[in-house]
Amino acid sequence: MKISVIGAGYVGLSLAVLLSRKHEVVALDVIPEKVDMINRRISPIADRDIENYFSSEKLNLLATLDYEDCKASDYFIIATPTDYDPKSNSFDTTPIDVALDNIEKTCPEATIVIKSTVPIGYSRRVREKRKIANLIYSPEFLREGRSLYDNLHPSRIIVGTADMDGGSAERFADIIKGCSLENNVVVLITGYTEAESIKLFSNSYLAMRVSFFNELDSFAEINELNSEDIIRGISLDPRIGDYYNNPSFGYGGYCLPKDTMQLRSSYGNTPHTLISAIVQSNDDRKKFIADRIAAMVSCDSATIGTFRLNMKAGSDNSRKSSILDVMEILKERGFDIIVYEPTLMHDFFRGCRNIRDIEEFKKHSDVIVANRLTDELKDVSDKVYSRDVYSRD
């Protein structure tokens, strides 16, 4: 079978690698450097499993800039990014619309699978407007830095369709299952809007859990309580569980910020106190963190060092990283900020000097702000501010 994947980011590239184990796959992207790296089997994203598969597995995978290479595809999987647009209070689906235009010109008979996160109701509207015979919506549930692993070991496969007898949806689910390493994956076939809702509600629940433990930690810090003891105590309840409970400066990354805002917008006039509070809680947490850091600084001329910009360990993504907003708040208050981000090959980031030598960075920092702790900071722990309890994400 020939499958074309539009967009070679975290979602698209991991899917392309997964499917190319057993099918002919074309990965289309608009960035020439990324296309070249994939064809040379160099991963353009930080994902150790993709790197391992590129070096050790025989994959039937071609990366390209040209839709002509996608001709005669049985499936097109759209995995383009859809960021939240605060002006329209909705995702910008323009990249999906462009992909649909090109698919219509290239291979109109192919089955189209939308993997990008979309506003609730989008798939039904676009199917009716464009009169697409075979359109599926299948949300992804991937962790940054572990995207291929999560495709190889899926927790569940959700497929939304207008064909409620499940024919085309079942066939697509079977393709994904057949390329995974799991034999008993739960498959759920739903309507379009239910599948779209599952994606947004799942990520909003995770964001709510992050916010809950962050607010717990704020209370503990202000009242001089042991945050770790409280978290361990409540996590012993099996209904709560000892996971996704490590305090941070706030949730960030590709999905949680935009998905929570999209879900809040989708509610419209439907009462949604809790859903709105998730977004507000995350904003409040970052302001609280900035206040605590400012209180540590003894004078206005002190230098605050920001240790790493990435959203989580093992990821090269700093998109919507909470530490960036904390930096901006402190900059607005007039503090001198320096950055330690060795993966960033620029001397300045957002007007702040980037020092790529860790020892020089520690020497010039009066206070070091670290969303996540590592052994690199042990020798200067007396001037490190972090709320990381478990030294993990």
Side-chain angles (χ1 to χ4, degrees):
M1 191 171 294
K2 183 175 181 179
I3 302 170
S4 290
V5 179
I6 313 301
Y10 279 96
V11 177
L13 182 57
S14 61
L15 269 171
V17 173
L18 173 82
L19 295 168
S20 64
R21 299 176 64 235
K22 296 189 177 182
H23 302 280
E24 177 188 357
V25 176
V26 177
L28 187 141
D29 203 273
V30 296
I31 302 175
E33 294 81 6
K34 184 185 289 186
V35 167
D36 178 64
M37 289 178 72
I38 295 170
N39 285 332
R40 290 188 291 122
R41 298 299 186 258
I42 300 172
S43 178
I45 62 175
D47 188 303
R48 64 174 180 266
D49 296 296
I50 291 178
E51 293 166 2
N52 289 338
Y53 266 68
F54 272 179
S55 63
S56 63
E57 299 287 327
K58 186 176 181 179
L59 305 173
N60 191 353
L61 173 61
L62 169 72
T64 183
L65 299 164
D66 193 348
Y67 271 90
E68 286 295 309
D69 293 319
C70 302
K71 281 188 172 180
S73 292
D74 300 287
Y75 284 84
F76 276 87
I77 299 177
I78 300 175
T80 55
T82 51
D83 205 358
Y84 183 81
D85 181 3
K87 292 182 180 178
S88 64
N89 289 323
S90 184
F91 289 140
D92 179 7
T93 59
T94 303
I96 302 177
D97 298 329
V98 171
L100 290 170
D101 289 339
N102 285 309
I103 294 169
E104 186 176 353
K105 296 172 187 175
T106 305
C107 201
E109 302 303 317
T111 297
I112 299 173
V113 182
I114 298 177
K115 274 283 183 182
S116 308
T117 309
V118 297
I120 296 171
Y122 174 83
S123 300
R124 179 183 295 169
R125 290 194 300 271
V126 80
R127 180 178 184 270
E128 293 172 354
K129 179 182 178 181
R130 292 177 176 267
K131 297 179 173 53
I132 301 172
N134 298 309
L135 179 69
I136 292 168
Y137 177 74
S138 181
E140 52 81 18
F141 305 99
L142 309 177
R143 296 168 293 171
E144 292 172 31
R146 301 304 308 275
S147 55
L148 179 56
Y149 180 91
D150 290 341
N151 268 315
L152 290 166
H153 307 274
S155 58
R156 71 278 205 202
I157 298 172
I158 310 291
V159 187
T161 177
D163 177 17
M164 288 311 295
D165 66 6
S168 59
E170 287 282 5
R171 286 191 292 274
F172 178 71
D174 286 342
I175 291 171
I176 298 297
K177 284 173 62 178
C179 293
S180 78
L181 300 179
E182 300 294 331
N183 296 321
N184 299 310
V185 185
V186 175
V187 175
L188 177 63
I189 308 297
T190 73
Y192 286 136
T193 51
E194 286 78 11
E196 293 162 348
S197 299
I198 288 168
K199 169 66 173 179
L200 295 183
F201 275 100
S202 293
N203 277 345
S204 294
Y205 176 83
L206 295 176
M208 178 186 70
R209 189 171 171 108
V210 171
S211 297
F212 175 87
F213 284 102
N214 281 342
E215 288 201 6
L216 180 160
D217 181 66
S218 295
F219 181 86
E221 186 173 12
I222 287 295
N223 290 280
E224 299 182 352
L225 304 175
N226 187 310
S227 181
E228 181 176 359
D229 285 349
I230 300 171
I231 293 170
R232 288 189 184 279
I234 67 172
S235 296
L236 290 172
D237 187 328
R239 295 169 299 177
I240 297 172
D242 189 18
Y243 58 90
Y244 228 76
N245 57 1
N246 194 22
S248 66
F249 293 168
Y251 60 76
Y254 282 105
C255 294
L256 300 193
K258 66 182 181 66
D259 290 3
T260 50
M261 289 188 286
Q262 176 64 65
L263 183 60
R264 179 183 62 177
S265 174
S266 298
Y267 264 81
N269 294 324
T270 304
H272 56 287
T273 304
L274 178 59
I275 300 301
S276 290
I278 296 169
V279 179
Q280 186 61 53
S281 175
N282 203 48
D283 291 339
D284 290 345
R285 174 65 169 179
K286 288 179 280 192
K287 293 173 186 174
F288 172 83
I289 293 296
D291 287 341
R292 301 299 291 176
I293 295 167
M296 290 180 64
V297 180
S298 58
C299 63
D300 293 339
S301 60
T303 298
I304 298 175
T306 303
F307 178 78
R308 305 306 303 267
L309 303 176
N310 52 332
M311 198 272 295
K312 59 185 288 188
S315 168
D316 57 355
N317 168 40
S318 62
R319 181 176 173 181
K320 302 295 183 183
S321 181
S322 55
I323 203 165
L324 301 182
D325 288 329
V326 172
M327 279 177 56
E328 290 302 319
I329 295 170
L330 293 170
K331 279 174 60 182
E332 289 173 3
R333 297 182 184 180
F335 289 106
D336 178 36
I337 311 291
I338 60 174
V339 172
Y340 171 70
E341 183 48 73
T343 65
L344 187 67
M345 293 297 103
H346 303 290
D347 293 333
F348 286 88
F349 176 82
R350 296 189 179 184
C352 302
R353 187 159 63 104
N354 179 34
I355 301 176
R356 291 186 290 276
D357 179 88
I358 184 64
E359 297 305 323
E360 184 183 356
F361 167 78
K362 288 188 285 191
K363 183 176 70 174
H364 286 88
S365 300
D366 296 300
V367 174
I368 295 175
V369 179
N371 188 39
R372 287 291 174 254
L373 295 173
T374 73
D375 290 342
E376 291 175 289
L377 299 177
K378 279 188 175 181
D379 62 326
V380 289
S381 59
D382 58 320
K383 60 179 180 180
V384 173
Y385 178 85
S386 179
R387 300 308 299 165
D388 184 357
V389 169
Y390 293 107
S391 294
R392 60 167 168 78
D393 292 319

